[in-house]
Amino acid sequence: MAVKKETKKKTKEQSTLIIVESPAKAKTIEKYLGPGYTVKASMGHLIDLPRSRMAINIDNGFEPEYITVRGRASILKDLQKDAKKASEVLLASDNDREGEAIAWHLRNSLSAKTHAAIKRIVFNEITPSAIKEAVMNPSDIDESKVNAQKARRVLDRLVGYNLSPLLWKKVKNGLSAGRVQSVALRLLCEREKAVEEFVPEEYWSLEAEFKKGKTSFTAELVQYKGKKPELPSEKSVQDIISEIQKADCEVADIKTSDRVLKPKPPFTTSKLQQAAANKLGFTSRKTMQVAQQLYEGVNIGSSRVGLITYMRTDSVRISDVAIEDVRTWLQKNYPAELPAEAIHYSVGKKAQDAHEAIRPTYTEYTPEYVKEYLTRDQLRLYTLIWEAFVSSQMNNAKSRTTSVDIKAGDALFRISASKIVEKGFYSVTKLLTSKENTSVRLPSLSVGEKPEVCGFQPAQHFTQGPARYTDASIVKTLEEKGIGRPSTYAPIISVLLDRYYVTRNNRQLVPTALGRIINDILVDSFPEVINENFTAEVEHNLDQVEENNVRWAEMMDRFYKPFHNRVEEVMTTLESYKGTMDEPTDKVCELCGKPMIKKLGRFGYFLACSGFPECRNTRSVPLAKCPREGCTGEIVARKNKNRGKEFYGCTNYPECDFISHFKPVNAQCPKCGYFLVEKYDKKNGTYKSCINPDCDYLHTAEDELPPAASQESDED
């Protein structure tokens, strides 16, 4: 790639130290700059608040008491040594609030150890031209952005370190609460309540099967006696069938309409996480991990390339250089789909617009070109990003819908079919559109024609209640409500899962009993804080701090005193929930003979001896009897030591080596007596099948399943 500006030539005596956040990024950048430059990684924050105490000086303007992060002192010491040898230090942490704070702490820690000038550089992509441009144009640290990060950090510490001890005292040790995570938990719990309270209502639909020549097709009843049909019961459907089954059928109308389909903007962080969840089944955490790898650099043949721009952004803005690059590629490969002018997308009012949209750094690096160098997950995510960006600068597509109305007595049936008549941007969107509905095929019909009626197909349905949140839908909701920022969407979900406030069940996020208790306590006691309006207002105030319109300490002062007084009041008045989730069992401790109790820990339920603390025996909750013939063991959840993945094995291991990667459910196979496991696939969704490989039983909604007598019930 051509580079317009060259970096300054270094003499043997001169050297520049560049400090980034990750080793992978350091490796890529060092290859670009060559001799005279040393690139080292800080591994994220080196200076931060201690974990063991609040460390906020309330009486001195809420000043934080920073320390060197435990285990990071050697990294800081090495960076100080490197800085002492350098003639110039460039701080290249990420271009956001957290990155600015990292740079600020590094500058303060290094300035006492070196006489070299310490400057800040930022870039949106890791390419030779972007890195060299940044090195040629260093700047000072943005103190307002640092203050915004400090305000966010202090506010979260004030909330967390006041609410968490309350939960320790009233519920159990080891729990946590937070300004953003607790609001997200509230959204999940409210949705779960709506799911449970929903009462489905029966309704019916009616289709008629027609035939013309050798072609059969099905049309749906859309009108009856000039009105939309109301079909609350099977009788109402049969009444209509009995009236029209002998009536002559005739094509009453044929309509054709065209629809213009516009390309969507390139991805923001939120939209990338949603697309990756819907199209690839990725969790938000996995999406960000893979995107980080693509951003920091991948070996493409003999060179190392950062394949995408920075992946934490709320903007759809594209640089002029990137637009020129993609239009040049389109002119060469899809000239008929290249618009006369570049397409510019408007940035939302809530967007900070600190970074461009997520896009490939070089359009010519197509998914096909790079596929041999990427892992399967890297390629799939990169394909989504590449297709979204390239298609965003292409012509509109056009679809044509044909609807045929067939009259049968007082009933009107309709069949519609759509097809793409102008491909436009669909020319490059293969993975992005892989799940679009396939078009219905229509026979050639004309008005007045009388197709043959082959029969009627009534179908029973029930109204669907609100769906539980998935990674994609909760991220969308958080973004729409202004809760959190692009960098926090994935960590919010992760912390709720890690705390066992929420479990993930076939992509759905389901609050646990513990999560619902925590939510009830926090929402009832702190409704002004644990709500989306407060969280969105905080984000707005942080933006004002970053723009230097609000002093961060004044923001803290307005919040803290009434909040702290309320915490102290609740601490004395709230009833205790300790022990309310413990359940007696018929299991006996094998060490002391006392009964075992089912208790809730940080990672879910487990069995503990009732003789605690004299006896500290614990074990996993059994899920089913071992299916191996003659084995008296039980199936429990285990984790792979190396990869941390959960699997299910027998308690008699190593004598019994039975393993299942599917979770047993509290039901017994009605065909062979083995236990059932829960599975999921894209075609069938969630279903249950027998663990016995010689049994072909599949569970359907109509089956009555006998409970597995040996299993413990588990409300979560």
Side-chain angles (χ1 to χ4, degrees):
M1 301 295 166
V3 179
K4 295 180 180 179
K5 291 189 178 182
E6 295 295 333
T7 50
K8 301 172 185 177
K9 290 185 178 180
K10 300 283 181 180
T11 66
K12 290 184 178 179
E13 292 78 21
Q14 292 177 316
S15 66
T16 294
L17 172 65
I18 298 178
I19 303 176
V20 297
E21 290 187 41
S22 77
K25 192 187 300 183
K27 186 177 180 182
T28 305
I29 293 173
E30 198 163 58
K31 279 192 174 185
Y32 292 162
L33 294 176
Y37 292 89
T38 302
V39 187
K40 294 295 180 71
S42 70
M43 308 296 290
H45 283 277
L46 295 179
I47 311 294
D48 201 356
L49 296 172
R51 291 187 175 184
S52 57
R53 55 193 176 88
M54 185 182 290
I56 304 296
N57 194 328
I58 306 296
D59 300 322
N60 185 28
F62 297 92
E63 276 299 318
E65 301 172 18
Y66 293 117
I67 64 166
T68 303
V69 176
R70 181 177 294 180
R72 300 289 179 88
S74 60
I75 299 175
L76 181 59
K77 190 174 180 180
D78 288 342
L79 291 176
Q80 289 172 335
K81 288 180 181 178
D82 292 329
K84 196 171 183 179
K85 302 173 189 174
S87 59
E88 181 184 34
V89 178
L90 300 178
L91 305 175
S93 46
D94 291 345
N95 185 18
D96 54 20
R97 289 173 186 165
E98 292 300 317
E100 207 71 19
I102 290 172
W104 184 76
H105 285 301
L106 281 171
R107 183 196 65 185
N108 295 344
S109 299
L110 299 179
S111 58
K113 302 292 183 179
T114 181
H115 297 293
I118 302 177
K119 289 287 186 177
R120 176 84 164 107
I121 62 171
V122 295
F123 40 82
N124 186 51
E125 60 188 36
I126 303 178
T127 60
S129 57
I131 299 302
K132 293 175 182 180
E133 179 77 20
V135 169
M136 290 294 293
N137 296 281
S139 61
D140 294 325
I141 288 173
D142 187 338
E143 298 284 344
S144 296
K145 188 179 283 189
V146 174
N147 285 335
Q149 189 276 345
K150 187 186 294 184
R152 197 275 307 163
R153 191 78 177 92
V154 169
L155 180 61
D156 287 349
R157 179 57 63 102
L158 293 175
V159 172
Y161 274 61
N162 276 275
L163 293 183
S164 295
L166 172 67
L167 298 179
W168 302 343
K169 180 179 179 181
K170 299 298 182 178
V171 185
K172 66 187 296 294
N173 292 333
L175 301 179
S176 74
R179 176 181 63 88
V180 179
Q181 77 173 56
S182 297
V183 176
L185 177 62
R186 178 176 183 173
L187 292 173
L188 293 167
C189 289
E190 288 176 348
R191 176 61 59 86
E192 187 67 18
K193 184 179 179 182
V195 169
E196 292 176 348
E197 292 179 348
F198 177 78
V199 179
E201 294 183 4
E202 180 185 13
Y203 71 97
W204 287 70
S205 64
L206 177 61
E207 291 182 339
E209 186 177 348
F210 298 96
K211 187 176 183 181
K212 180 190 176 182
K214 294 182 179 180
T215 304
S216 297
F217 59 96
T218 302
E220 183 179 4
L221 178 69
V222 294
Q223 280 187 19
Y224 183 66
K225 294 185 177 180
K227 298 180 181 179
K228 182 179 179 180
E230 294 185 6
L231 307 173
S233 64
E234 184 177 13
K235 181 180 183 303
S236 63
V237 178
Q238 293 297 338
D239 288 345
I240 293 176
I241 292 175
S242 63
E243 287 190 25
I244 66 173
Q245 61 183 350
K246 295 181 180 180
D248 291 335
C249 295
E250 180 179 290
V251 176
D253 193 14
I254 299 177
K255 292 180 180 178
T256 299
S257 60
D258 288 346
R259 180 185 173 198
V260 174
L261 305 169
K262 294 184 177 181
K264 294 181 180 179
F267 286 134
T268 60
T269 302
S270 166
K271 292 296 187 290
L272 175 62
Q273 291 180 8
Q274 292 173 50
N278 291 328
K279 301 291 183 182
L280 310 178
F282 284 9
T283 64
S284 294
R285 174 188 280 181
K286 181 174 182 177
T287 299
M288 297 310 290
Q289 287 174 340
V290 177
Q292 184 89 31
Q293 296 163 8
L294 296 172
Y295 168 66
E296 292 180 345
V298 177
N299 289 320
I300 305 294
S302 60
S303 61
R304 188 172 178 85
V305 180
L307 284 178
I308 65 169
T309 53
Y310 192 56
M311 61 284 160
R312 296 183 180 92
T313 178
D314 55 10
S315 177
V316 293
R317 175 176 53 83
I318 295 296
S319 70
D320 292 339
V321 173
I323 287 178
E324 181 182 350
D325 176 49
V326 69
R327 285 179 63 80
T328 300
W329 187 88
L330 287 169
Q331 180 64 57
K332 180 180 178 181
N333 294 277
Y334 293 93
E337 307 301 348
L338 178 64
E341 301 290 336
I343 302 174
H344 297 278
Y345 297 92
S346 58
V347 178
K349 293 181 179 180
K350 295 180 181 179
Q352 291 184 356
D353 197 25
H355 303 282
E356 286 185 71
I358 304 170
R359 61 169 175 82
T361 51
Y362 302 117
T363 309
E364 65 186 46
Y365 283 168
T366 64
E368 183 68 24
Y369 179 82
V370 301
K371 69 178 183 180
E372 64 179 295
Y373 307 110
L374 303 182
T375 66
R376 181 173 182 268
D377 288 340
Q378 288 173 341
L379 177 61
R380 295 167 78 204
L381 190 66
Y382 180 73
T383 301
L384 283 183
I385 294 168
W386 189 92
E387 289 183 1
F389 170 63
V390 175
S391 66
S392 74
Q393 291 298 318
M394 296 178 70
N395 282 331
N396 297 336
K398 183 187 287 187
S399 70
R400 181 163 295 157
T401 300
T402 301
S403 295
V404 178
D405 288 351
I406 302 174
K407 192 168 179 59
D410 290 331
L412 188 70
F413 293 86
R414 179 173 296 157
I415 179 173
S416 298
S418 298
K419 64 178 180 179
I420 300 296
V421 292
E422 293 180 13
K423 294 193 71 173
F425 66 90
Y426 280 129
S427 301
V428 299
T429 56
K430 296 177 176 61
L431 184 57
L432 269 175
T433 56
S434 61
K435 293 185 180 178
E436 298 290 334
N437 290 330
T438 55
S439 180
V440 176
R441 297 190 64 180
L442 277 177
S444 176
L445 295 167
S446 58
V447 174
E449 197 168 353
K450 296 183 178 181
E452 178 187 352
V453 182
C454 299
F456 296 98
Q457 301 172 3
Q460 183 187 39
H461 309 276
F462 292 91
T463 54
Q464 298 293 309
R468 290 187 176 95
Y469 282 113
T470 61
D471 280 51
S473 58
I474 191 64
V475 165
K476 181 180 180 182
T477 301
L478 293 174
E479 181 186 40
E480 290 174 347
K481 294 180 178 295
I483 300 171
R485 286 297 183 191
S487 60
T488 64
Y489 297 142
I492 287 170
I493 299 171
S494 294
V495 75
L496 292 176
L497 290 164
D498 292 343
R499 297 292 182 189
Y500 197 64
Y501 294 168
V502 171
T503 59
R504 185 183 278 115
N505 183 8
N506 295 321
R507 302 190 187 180
Q508 296 179 328
L509 297 170
V510 185
T512 63
L514 175 62
R516 296 174 78 161
I517 287 176
I518 299 303
N519 179 68
D520 289 345
I521 291 173
L522 295 179
V523 172
D524 291 346
S525 303
F526 304 95
E528 302 85 4
V529 175
I530 310 301
N531 74 70
E532 60 197 56
N533 294 330
F534 172 76
T535 307
E537 181 185 353
V538 167
E539 297 296 343
H540 172 73
N541 289 337
L542 292 176
D543 291 343
Q544 292 296 302
V545 172
E546 185 170 336
E547 294 169 12
N548 213 19
N549 295 329
V550 173
R551 294 180 60 192
W552 75 270
E554 292 177 358
M555 177 183 165
M556 297 302 107
D557 193 51
R558 288 194 301 269
F559 163 77
Y560 184 67
K561 188 174 181 180
F563 170 70
H564 182 64
N565 289 341
R566 177 59 180 160
V567 171
E568 291 188 328
E569 178 186 350
V570 174
M571 192 73 80
T572 59
T573 59
L574 183 69
E575 64 176 303
S576 175
Y577 287 80
K578 283 200 167 182
T580 57
M581 286 175 285
D582 292 352
E583 300 177 21
T585 73
D586 58 359
K587 308 294 180 185
V588 176
C589 176
E590 64 271 24
L591 299 183
C592 70
K594 292 183 178 179
M596 300 290 279
I597 298 173
K598 185 180 177 184
K599 301 178 73 71
L600 183 61
R602 279 190 62 189
F603 305 106
Y605 283 98
F606 66 99
L607 296 181
C609 181
S610 59
F612 180 87
E614 290 77 14
C615 180
R616 295 176 176 269
N617 184 31
T618 62
R619 63 176 188 256
S620 299
V621 175
L623 299 169
K625 282 185 177 180
C626 180
R628 288 275 173 85
E629 188 175 349
C631 181
T632 59
E634 295 172 308
I635 303 302
V636 295
R638 300 187 183 278
K639 278 200 173 182
N640 184 295
K641 292 182 179 179
N642 297 324
R643 292 181 293 174
K645 288 189 175 182
E646 191 171 65
F647 66 95
Y648 305 91
C650 181
T651 53
N652 283 348
Y653 180 83
E655 288 78 15
C656 177
D657 61 357
F658 174 83
I659 285 179
S660 170
H661 293 285
F662 299 103
K663 184 178 181 179
V665 296
N666 189 30
Q668 184 178 332
C669 176
K671 287 184 71 174
C672 69
Y674 280 62
F675 66 84
L676 300 181
V677 294
E678 195 165 71
K679 296 184 179 181
Y680 174 86
D681 63 37
K682 294 178 182 178
K683 181 180 179 181
N684 301 311
T686 303
Y687 65 97
K688 298 176 180 67
S689 67
C690 184
I691 190 65
N692 182 359
D694 298 323
C695 178
D696 60 357
Y697 173 77
L698 290 178
H699 168 62
T700 63
E702 293 77 20
D703 292 331
E704 288 293 331
L705 292 177
S710 64
Q711 289 182 234
E712 293 284 337
S713 64
D714 188 333
E715 66 206 65
D716 294 308

